[in-house]
Amino acid sequence: FDAPEAMVVELVRAARARGAHAHVAIRSSRVMRALVESGADEQFKEMAGSDLDRMQRMDAYIGLRGGHNINEMAGVADDRMKSWGGLYMKPVHLQQRVNHTRWCVLRWPTPSMAQLAGKSTESFEDFYFDVCTLDYAAMSSAAQALQTRMKSADRVHLRGPGDTDLKFSLKDIPAVACTGSHNIPDGECF
């Protein structure tokens, strides 16, 4: 969504240089909002069927996502968002892509992201691309300790400024270290 065309062109060229045949779908957040906001369940199922067929034929998927307005979907009715999520996102992306397709999702830095960070567009881009080019192999090694600790933990107690006092259990919940194999930028353990 909202990715710069020049970057899409470069991805197509890079894929071709490696012998791949790129299939491109350029989407707009504003158009997607209109589809979800006014779409019927039957329409979502048809879209899912078409994109699911294409996803099943792909050897790899690269999602390049920007966002001129990161809040573009704000105010869309909950029932439409739930239908979209269950009828389109779940079968196409959560079940097929995530489990059966090699994939990588990249975010593209946008002015709206810079605004959220309280930075100028240029300084945010510099920061963002520095993060994208971290040594993910070193991060993976470092994340193993946190992943191991999370797997063996039961109770977690977090205290912070003000009234922040959270208690919860991690017992029997898998811990996954995310270190650049699927998302860029990356660096979390969930």
Side-chain angles (χ1 to χ4, degrees):
F1 297 100
D2 303 331
E5 286 184 10
M7 184 59 185
V8 176
V9 168
E10 290 306 315
L11 281 172
V12 168
R13 289 178 177 154
R16 189 69 202 128
R18 295 190 54 96
H21 303 283
H23 294 245
V24 178
I26 296 177
R27 299 204 170 143
S28 156
S29 295
R30 289 186 73 184
V31 172
M32 190 56 60
R33 178 193 173 96
L35 286 169
V36 172
E37 192 171 42
S38 63
D41 288 358
E42 195 56 41
Q43 176 187 3
F44 297 162
K45 290 176 189 175
E46 289 174 13
M47 292 171 69
S50 176
D51 286 356
L52 181 58
D53 177 64
R54 186 168 61 165
M55 188 70 74
Q56 289 169 335
R57 295 168 180 247
M58 295 298 118
D59 293 320
Y61 171 91
I62 298 174
L64 178 61
R65 305 205 173 119
H68 300 304
N69 176 356
I70 61 157
N71 295 308
E72 195 64 58
M73 300 303 272
V76 174
D78 285 346
D79 70 313
R80 293 296 78 216
M81 292 299 292
K82 286 178 184 171
S83 286
W84 175 253
L87 298 173
Y88 178 85
M89 293 298 294
K90 184 177 179 181
V92 176
H93 291 280
L94 299 178
Q95 292 174 334
Q96 178 61 39
R97 174 178 58 89
V98 169
N99 296 315
H100 303 290
T101 307
R102 289 183 305 151
W103 61 275
C104 180
V105 174
L106 310 125
R107 299 275 180 222
W108 190 263
T110 62
S112 66
M113 292 168 72
Q115 288 170 337
L116 282 175
K119 295 178 174 265
S120 71
T121 301
E122 185 176 351
S123 66
F124 182 77
E125 287 172 347
D126 290 343
F127 162 79
Y128 188 87
F129 289 123
D130 283 346
V131 171
C132 286
T133 57
L134 288 172
D135 182 347
Y136 284 108
M139 179 188 288
S140 179
S141 177
Q144 292 307 309
L146 177 57
Q147 183 179 18
T148 300
R149 185 165 185 181
M150 288 175 69
K151 284 181 176 180
S152 65
D154 179 5
R155 304 294 303 160
V156 176
H157 187 179
L158 301 172
R159 290 185 187 159
D163 296 332
T164 303
D165 189 0
L166 303 170
K167 296 178 183 178
F168 54 93
S169 174
L170 295 177
K171 187 176 177 125
D172 299 325
I173 298 175
V176 178
C178 299
T179 55
S181 65
H182 290 84
N183 291 314
I184 303 293
D186 209 350
E188 65 179 305
C189 198
F190 70 91

